Amino acid sequence: MQGKYKETWRALEHLYSEKRVRSIGVSNFLVHHLKDLLSDCQTIPMINQVEFHPRLFQPTLLDFCRSESIQMEAWSPIMRGKVMEISQLVSIGEKYGKSPVQITLRWDLQQRVVTIPKSAKQHRIIANADIFDFELSADEMALIDQLDRGERVGPDPDNFNF
Ligand SMILES: NC(=O)c1ccc[n+]([C@@H]2O[C@H](COP(=O)([O-])OP(=O)(O)OC[C@H]3O[C@@H](n4cnc5c(N)ncnc54)[C@H](OP(=O)(O)O)[C@@H]3O)[C@@H](O)[C@H]2O)c1
């Protein structure tokens, strides 16, 4: 994998230098993968798409991406619906008239993390976008940060055969 992603990255850099793609990025890269790539690349990835949600906050990875101007993007941002069961998110949501999913997606935005929740249902797609009429307080942001348990709903990038 370590050898493979550098070769792949060089191909993406080539496409970028030829202006055949507007931006290039990586997915499921942890800090050590990024450091390894950054030590040996010409173009820094513009985005890193990783599993990211209140039960998998990864502040070290987030800080590292921010320091290198790599945009973080959250996949499975609502834990495939499981954030609905987190009582602290239910409580915060009651204050704003929002669901735990909407609170989670608002937390992403205020963390400056691009978020890509998926739904096949029109009413959920509309509800998931209805997060621009309220703002979480600093205390609420900190409370959500503390829900982290290092819990994944998808594969662990360090223990997966990509
Ligand atoms: N780069 C990677 O390795 C990687 C890995 C996994 C996923 N992804 C990408 O990340 C995106 C999202 O990830 P994901 O689909 O795994 O997880 P997700 O967005 O956290 O959850 C999607 C699930 O949540 C349900 N849902 C959506 N809105 C809801 C709401 N308001 N209330 C309750 N349930 C709701 C959906 O069901 P309904 O459709 O029934 O609404 C669907 O089953 C996908 O586009 C996927 O391609 C990338």
Side-chain angles (χ1 to χ4, degrees):
M1 155 121 191
Q2 206 164 349
K4 273 194 209 163
Y5 65 61
K6 286 194 181 176
E7 201 180 309
T8 306
W9 188 252
R10 276 190 276 280
L12 290 173
E13 283 177 326
H14 178 68
L15 291 173
Y16 182 66
S17 69
E18 299 254 298
K19 298 197 186 330
R20 292 170 69 184
V21 292
R22 265 191 283 188
S23 35
I24 53 176
V26 293
S27 184
N28 298 309
F29 270 45
L30 303 179
V31 172
H32 72 91
H33 299 115
L34 288 170
K35 283 185 174 169
D36 182 46
L37 186 64
L38 264 50
S39 70
D40 191 19
C41 72
Q42 290 180 345
T43 307
I44 292 177
M46 287 146 207
I47 196 158
N48 183 21
Q49 186 189 103
V50 295
E51 181 178 344
F52 181 95
H53 45 67
R55 293 290 193 215
L56 189 67
F57 176 35
Q58 305 171 90
T60 310
L61 178 60
L62 186 55
D63 284 347
F64 184 81
C65 286
R66 283 178 179 152
S67 71
E68 297 291 342
S69 300
I70 299 169
Q71 176 64 53
M72 277 271 280
E73 181 172 74
W75 63 256
S76 290
I78 57 170
M79 299 181 78
R80 301 179 178 157
K82 278 171 67 184
V83 296
M84 290 298 286
E85 297 156 20
I86 301 176
S87 60
Q88 294 90 336
L89 298 176
V90 175
S91 300
I92 296 172
E94 281 166 359
K95 176 176 159 191
Y96 296 104
K98 297 288 176 182
S99 72
V101 165
Q102 290 168 315
I103 296 299
T104 301
L105 298 174
R106 181 72 207 187
W107 173 73
D108 287 338
L109 290 193
Q110 290 185 219
Q111 290 285 6
R112 292 184 284 119
V113 171
V114 171
T115 188
I116 53 163
K118 197 209 73 178
S119 177
K121 297 190 171 73
Q122 188 185 32
H123 71 280
R124 282 180 169 170
I125 294 170
I126 292 168
N128 293 352
D130 183 20
I131 55 171
F132 296 96
D133 57 353
F134 73 107
E135 187 169 345
L136 297 168
S137 69
D139 285 351
E140 288 160 346
M141 288 295 290
L143 193 151
I144 299 171
D145 293 355
Q146 284 157 22
L147 297 175
D148 185 19
R149 287 187 188 160
E151 188 182 323
R152 294 183 180 277
V153 295
D156 179 348
D158 268 338
N159 294 293
F160 188 71
N161 183 9
F162 290 97

